[in-house]
Amino acid sequence: MDYRNRTLVGNIVLTGATGVLGGRLLQEVLETTDAMVYCVVRAESPDAALERIKEVLFAYDEARTLDSQCWRIIPVLGDVSRERLGLDEASYLELAGSVDLVLHSAANVSLVASYAKIAPVNVGGVATMIEFCLAGSVPLMMVSSFSVTGSKLYEPGFVLGEHDLDVGQCFEEMDYERSKFEAEQLVHAASERGLDWVIVRPGNIWGDSRTGCYPLRQTRVKGLYYEMLKSLVETGLTFSSDEDFDISPVDYVARAALYAVMNLHVTNRRTFNLTHPHPINYDDIVAALRHYGYTIGLVDSTTYFEALQSGRLCRDGKPYRSTFTDLLSIFYDGSDIKEHARYDTSGIDALLADTDIRCHPCDAALIGRYLDYAVRTGFIVAPAQQGPLATLSESAVRGGGLMEQLYDADLSDMPAQPA
Ligand SMILES: NC(=O)c1ccc[n+]([C@@H]2O[C@H](COP(=O)([O-])OP(=O)(O)OC[C@H]3O[C@@H](n4cnc5c(N)ncnc54)[C@H](OP(=O)(O)O)[C@@H]3O)[C@@H](O)[C@H]2O)c1
């Protein structure tokens, strides 16, 4: 198909609209197109679905400027892990036959759930959306992740090109990463059946770089990186690390992704790394927190992790635990393996060169904006309210352990924790 002539997109199917990225994609679509947006949501009723969609939308659009556009949101009660989205055949074919574009953002983003739990959504869901697109002869924008880099994350000097996919990486204990890799493979393979597509690979998605907004309370799984900020503030203690830390503002990801798929005459069957072109490192984030007014002390990383795992990181006389520290203690294995991978963004940079879509610099101003929002919404205390801070006790107060609802984890197949 010659997409140069397709300037109008009348009907869009969007998955994941109740999530961090999908909600911001919806805002972008409503602001920049006249399209009707069919949002595939798991819910009991269209009203319940619409309510959840709006909650996330208005977490971004706080002034509710899009209130008057909500008539263009049409909830479709569906589940991407089910055949035909769980729709009856007639409804499925009617929807497929009436849309112009599919934006697929839904996924299970758990970093600790088992492959068996993730794959039906992240791999099966992509297969479902491919069939849907082929049934309607419409293009697919699939949201993947920079984590397809798998074990190459730890290889010094490794750079993931935008055209790279199978680079010899492994996915041992990287089930989420593996699912995104396999999903990309499915999309590539569907080219043979005539599928037109764009794949985008965001890095760590943070809030809107212009407003600081992020649906901290509206999405089911809270942002891990905000949990990290919260833990740093609550404990006032961390370790030093010069490893790259990607910050991909959600507005950049949404705008760049939409631009890529709206320009299929030059982007068809291409993949774009939507990571930050100039990442900062963990120490810079800690420095930005201090700049904002928080006290953050340093201990060496071995001491920090050992204290965490043995329940010696204490606050108010009790072992300190949070989603972030629980995750850290799961992934820490005593080795000093470092993350090295970098991500080439030259394709997306060239594509966006003549637009005003830019990735905001990762500076203290950006992190300050994120902190302003987190403080304003009560997610993190203001610098003046920080404390009491954590200390490292001499002996274990109580063994570590795992949070039951940790990141939607299926803990039955988690490795046992060291004593
Ligand atoms: N967040 C990041 O830092 C990051 C980084 C790189 C890539 N990504 C990718 O970006 C995309 C969006 O992630 P996100 O951060 O927005 O995740 P999120 O906030 O957890 O949202 C996930 C969305 O998927 C929906 N969903 C899950 N299972 C579904 C199913 N079976 N059927 C229909 N909908 C389903 C969720 O619906 P419910 O609200 O009903 O659960 C939610 O709307 C994903 O593809 C993810 O892999 C995210």
Side-chain angles (χ1 to χ4, degrees):
M1 189 174 294
D2 182 357
Y3 286 102
R4 267 173 298 213
N5 298 327
R6 289 172 62 98
T7 50
L8 287 177
V9 175
N11 295 307
I12 292 176
V13 161
L14 170 65
T15 70
T18 55
V20 170
L21 177 58
R24 187 61 185 77
L25 275 168
L26 177 61
Q27 179 185 13
E28 201 60 30
V29 167
L30 292 175
E31 281 177 359
T32 62
T33 77
D34 293 324
M36 303 295 289
V37 197
Y38 293 81
C39 297
V40 178
V41 179
R42 295 171 298 175
E44 284 182 0
S45 67
D47 283 349
L50 190 58
E51 196 178 319
R52 289 197 46 227
I53 294 167
K54 283 185 178 179
E55 273 177 29
V56 181
L57 175 67
F58 293 130
Y60 287 118
D61 175 28
E62 290 185 292
R64 298 179 76 103
T65 56
L66 291 169
D67 237 340
S68 63
Q69 297 300 315
C70 285
W71 63 273
R72 292 199 276 135
I73 303 171
I74 298 144
V76 175
L77 302 187
D79 183 329
V80 300
S81 66
R82 294 177 60 193
E83 193 182 347
R84 290 195 316 257
L85 295 162
L87 303 177
D88 64 71
E89 193 170 357
S91 313
Y92 175 83
L93 290 176
E94 190 186 338
L95 185 62
S98 62
V99 301
D100 304 295
L101 173 65
V102 171
L103 307 176
H104 180 47
S105 184
N108 181 331
V109 299
S110 171
L111 295 176
V112 293
S114 65
Y115 182 78
K117 188 168 179 182
I118 296 170
V121 184
N122 295 6
V123 187
V126 168
T128 305
M129 297 320 295
I130 289 172
E131 293 310 319
F132 180 81
C133 288
L134 288 171
S137 299
V138 293
L140 171 68
M141 191 279 283
M142 180 245 173
V143 182
S144 181
S145 167
F146 72 152
S147 61
V148 294
T149 193
S151 58
K152 292 282 178 183
L153 181 62
Y154 306 108
E155 185 176 300
F158 178 76
V159 179
L160 184 74
E162 293 175 293
H163 299 299
D164 292 338
L165 180 53
D166 188 343
V167 287
Q169 67 273 59
C170 323
F171 294 100
E172 198 183 331
E173 294 184 28
M174 295 178 129
D175 290 342
Y176 168 77
E177 293 84 345
R178 174 180 156 200
S179 73
K180 301 306 277 189
F181 172 82
E182 291 177 354
E184 283 200 27
Q185 285 183 317
L186 288 183
V187 174
H188 282 254
S191 301
E192 276 187 16
R193 298 168 63 202
L195 182 75
D196 292 334
W197 54 264
V198 164
I199 293 175
V200 294
R201 295 179 182 145
N204 300 323
I205 300 177
W206 291 58
D208 192 301
S209 61
R210 289 173 290 194
T211 61
C213 294
Y214 182 99
L216 279 168
R217 301 197 182 280
Q218 293 80 2
T219 47
R220 283 193 191 178
V221 179
K222 279 186 213 134
L224 172 60
Y225 320 108
Y226 287 84
E227 294 286 351
M228 178 183 87
L229 296 180
K230 188 178 168 81
S231 293
L232 286 172
V233 167
E234 286 178 349
T235 59
L237 200 61
T238 191
F239 50 92
S240 173
S241 167
D242 62 0
E243 285 180 33
D244 276 358
F245 199 103
D246 180 83
I247 293 184
S248 301
V250 69
D251 51 318
Y252 169 72
V253 175
R255 295 181 75 208
L258 207 55
Y259 186 83
V261 76
M262 291 292 192
N263 287 277
L264 272 182
H265 60 289
V266 287
T267 59
N268 197 8
R269 298 183 182 160
R270 288 176 63 190
T271 301
F272 296 98
N273 289 340
L274 301 188
T275 46
H276 201 291
H278 308 290
I280 56 171
N281 64 36
Y282 182 77
D283 287 341
D284 294 330
I285 293 181
V286 174
L289 280 162
R290 290 199 188 106
H291 179 80
Y292 196 79
Y294 294 113
T295 299
I296 313 280
L298 286 182
V299 288
D300 76 80
S301 59
T302 309
T303 308
Y304 182 88
F305 283 108
E306 285 177 2
L308 202 59
Q309 290 196 323
S310 58
R312 290 189 297 109
L313 179 68
C314 295
R315 188 170 175 253
D316 255 348
K318 286 180 269 181
Y320 176 82
R321 288 181 55 192
S322 68
T323 305
F324 179 65
T325 57
D326 279 355
L327 269 179
L328 277 184
S329 68
I330 289 170
F331 288 117
Y332 178 68
D333 61 1
S335 67
D336 57 0
I337 294 176
K338 288 178 73 169
E339 297 184 6
H340 290 281
R342 298 217 150 180
Y343 304 88
D344 178 27
T345 59
S346 52
I348 191 70
D349 294 343
L351 181 72
L352 299 178
D354 294 333
T355 73
D356 67 348
I357 305 171
R358 293 286 179 277
C359 202
H360 193 289
C362 285
D363 50 19
L366 180 67
I367 296 175
R369 208 163 298 141
Y370 291 153
L371 288 168
D372 283 345
Y373 181 78
V375 169
R376 177 160 63 81
T377 54
F379 186 73
I380 295 179
V381 294
Q385 273 82 52
Q386 191 191 13
L389 303 182
T391 53
L392 301 185
S393 70
E394 286 298 315
S395 54
V397 178
R398 185 165 54 79
L402 295 174
M403 201 168 82
E404 288 305 311
Q405 295 305 319
L406 178 63
Y407 253 56
D408 198 20
D410 178 355
L411 297 180
S412 55
D413 53 7
M414 287 294 301
Q417 282 292 289

